[in-house]
Amino acid sequence: MIFKKSTPLRGELAVPGDKSISHRAVMLGALAKGTTSVTNFLKGADCLSTISCFEKMGIEIEQLPSEILIHGKGLHGLNAPETILDAGNSGTTTRLLSGILAGQAFCTTLTGDASIQKRPMTRIITPLSQMGGKIESLSDNGCAPLKITGHPLKPIHYLSPVSSAQVKSCVLLAGMYADGITKVTEPYLSRNHSELMLRSFGADVISEGTTAAITGNPVLEGQNVIVPGDISSAAYFIAAGLLIPGSEILIKDVGINPTRDGILKVCADMGADIQLLNKREYGKEPVADILVKHSELKATVIEGALIPTLIDELPMLAVMAAFAQGTTVIRDAQELKVKESNRLDIIVQHLSAMGADIIPTEDGMEIHGGKPLKGAVLDSYMDHRIAMSFAVAGMAADGETEILNASCVDISYPEFYRDMAAISAS
Ligand code: S3P
């Protein structure tokens, strides 16, 4: 895909449904009694991987044009799959599903693509083993493929060394199969969609500070879930609207859960003109329309408790910082090294190629913003967030930017290029 400096962005759009919430709706719908309807489900490759794993375990899922219907079979209703389960590129599928599989009465093998087979799974093998789970990394490197032999589980209080919603959710989902109360405490609070949705489906889940606790053997009841627009997908339009002079865009129906809204806080700090309109709730998830106007941005510091609330937006925020006046510091972001790609390295490599003044650090980077950026040829390395962040960089930079392996946006936002083109006259 080739991007040139854009004329002002104008108009309104709705971004696709939230990826994290879509995954969880399928998982809880499958384990609930009765039918769950999911409106605005994200039909991206990651969430389709979750659907296919549950279909292989005997769950009937109907994909209709306006909703998906999941015919749940209760907490103990999954069947042993006849083949290996394939999570594709999806860390959420791999880690959350492992928690569910650990408590089943059968054995499964779960794997994914080349990227998934390099991502750390010890972070879930450790707590699941403490619960009595039998999880084996078949390549003996702490990564997938994972052989999961279902086993009776016991409750634990897990002190997670990382702030990760995937680890927290894995343990909470396994906790459904343990008698008693399973707790997870994390250093900083990560996204809480699992806790909110488990509660909506009828589980007893208590959150206190950075600890979440679930009581085992819940009876989950099918629900009607409306998925808010994904703030991580809205991030590219927020950034494009702020960076491209003369722009004014309205992004409708976006989830603004406080455990996900770090990008809005950082934008406010950078001097962005952003308004949240029409605030309301879809179930327990807060939603708003986001009005973005072009703004002159200034540098900021992004660190600590903010990091988990904007973890997937850091590639986009780093690009914004390169266009902002002053030095932006990103710290405590070592988790970026173990995402779909090593995002810390790739951000530094690509922004340097575009002429930015950027210095990598152990756990982040320093970006000396304000130098004009020029187009470059940039590989996405098959990482959807790298492709979309640098597409926006290309629309704000001088010259022409070519994104290689651009089709990987189908992981979280299949219509990204079409939607962006629709609001850009050029
Ligand atoms: C997700 C949690 C985050 C995030 C990922 C989705 C989730 O990962 O980066 O895109 O749905 O729970 P970590 O839990 O590894 O931080």
Side-chain angles (χ1 to χ4, degrees):
M1 294 291 299
I2 293 178
F3 296 86
K4 296 181 184 163
K5 206 176 185 75
S6 176
T7 52
L9 303 180
R10 296 269 168 182
E12 59 177 62
L13 79 154
V15 293
D18 188 278
K19 180 155 77 73
S20 295
I21 297 175
S22 296
H23 280 297
R24 286 154 172 83
V26 173
M27 294 181 185
L28 297 192
L31 301 177
K33 287 192 174 153
T35 299
T36 289
S37 132
V38 189
T39 309
N40 201 30
F41 177 80
L42 170 63
K43 288 189 177 158
D46 270 10
C47 299
L48 296 178
S49 295
T50 293
I51 287 189
S52 120
C53 289
F54 279 92
E55 284 176 337
K56 283 188 178 171
M57 291 188 286
I59 301 296
E60 192 199 331
I61 301 176
E62 290 177 76
Q63 295 189 43
L64 307 175
S66 61
E67 63 180 336
I68 67 160
L69 297 177
I70 304 147
H71 299 288
K73 298 200 336 193
L75 212 53
H76 299 281
L78 299 179
N79 297 335
E82 280 169 12
T83 54
I84 287 180
L85 298 178
D86 185 357
N89 190 243
S90 174
T92 305
T93 310
T94 310
R95 297 199 176 108
L96 272 60
L97 191 52
S98 296
I100 294 170
L101 295 174
Q104 301 303 315
F106 51 79
C107 176
T108 39
T109 302
L110 175 60
T111 193
D113 68 7
S115 154
I116 275 294
Q117 292 186 37
K118 280 192 249 149
R119 296 183 66 185
M121 295 300 153
T122 314
R123 55 181 58 198
I124 54 157
I125 296 175
T126 301
L128 290 177
S129 303
Q130 288 175 15
M131 295 178 80
K134 305 271 174 258
I135 327 289
E136 193 189 335
S137 159
L138 289 179
S139 310
D140 210 12
N141 59 356
C143 302
L146 301 175
K147 184 174 175 207
I148 305 176
T149 309
H151 201 263
L153 300 179
K154 56 178 189 285
I156 56 166
H157 182 175
Y158 186 58
L159 303 179
S160 175
V162 280
S163 303
S164 158
Q166 293 179 354
V167 171
K168 172 174 64 178
S169 305
C170 168
V171 176
L172 292 176
L173 292 170
M176 296 197 296
Y177 295 93
D179 291 332
I181 297 177
T182 297
K183 290 188 186 180
V184 189
T185 301
E186 47 187 351
Y188 297 121
L189 187 62
S190 64
R191 65 192 65 191
N192 66 357
H193 305 302
S194 296
E195 296 92 303
L196 295 183
M197 199 183 288
L198 277 162
R199 245 176 253 144
S200 299
F201 274 73
D204 182 8
V205 175
I206 294 173
S207 302
E208 232 180 88
T210 64
T211 300
I214 186 164
T215 305
N217 306 306
V219 177
L220 305 179
E221 302 280 355
Q223 299 293 313
N224 294 331
V225 179
I226 306 176
V227 182
D230 196 326
I231 192 167
S232 299
S233 297
Y236 308 106
F237 294 89
I238 293 173
L242 293 174
L243 294 178
I244 296 165
S247 297
E248 178 169 336
I249 51 179
L250 183 67
I251 315 164
K252 301 191 76 173
D253 315 325
V254 183
I256 53 160
N257 180 314
T259 61
R260 291 285 298 283
D261 71 351
I263 182 169
L264 299 176
K265 293 188 180 122
V266 169
C267 284
D269 214 41
M270 295 178 89
D273 185 347
I274 292 182
Q275 291 171 52
L276 297 185
L277 310 173
N278 193 17
K279 284 193 193 174
R280 59 213 188 271
E281 288 189 346
Y282 287 179
K284 298 186 192 306
E285 293 282 352
V287 171
D289 300 338
I290 303 180
L291 180 63
V292 184
K293 295 181 187 162
H294 165 70
S295 308
E296 294 300 333
L297 299 180
K298 59 182 195 315
T300 187
V301 177
I302 308 175
E303 61 182 353
L306 256 184
I307 295 290
T309 71
L310 46 68
I311 188 73
D312 292 339
E313 288 66 79
L314 281 167
M316 191 67 265
L317 285 166
V319 169
M320 286 165 59
F323 287 96
Q325 289 303 322
T327 299
T328 291
V329 180
I330 300 176
R331 291 192 194 102
D332 306 319
Q334 57 280 357
E335 275 294 297
L336 282 192
K337 294 182 190 171
V338 291
K339 293 293 176 189
E340 285 84 330
S341 67
N342 181 336
R343 289 184 180 157
L344 271 191
D345 279 3
I346 295 173
I347 293 167
V348 172
Q349 180 192 319
H350 285 2
L351 278 176
S352 303
M354 296 183 86
D357 185 355
I358 176 165
I359 300 167
T361 60
E362 256 312 288
D363 60 351
M365 60 196 80
E366 271 177 28
I367 304 159
H368 304 285
K371 271 179 72 179
L373 260 54
K374 57 180 191 321
V377 178
L378 307 171
D379 198 330
S380 74
Y381 294 99
M382 295 309 285
D383 182 332
H384 55 132
R385 305 221 179 271
I386 294 293
M388 292 187 274
S389 300
F390 284 91
V392 173
M395 291 169 65
D398 295 327
E400 200 171 274
T401 294
E402 189 176 346
I403 308 283
L404 308 178
N405 289 311
S407 64
C408 58
V409 301
D410 72 349
I411 291 294
S412 63
Y413 198 158
E415 305 292 350
F416 174 72
Y417 300 118
R418 193 203 63 182
D419 285 358
M420 190 57 96
I423 55 163
S424 165
S426 60

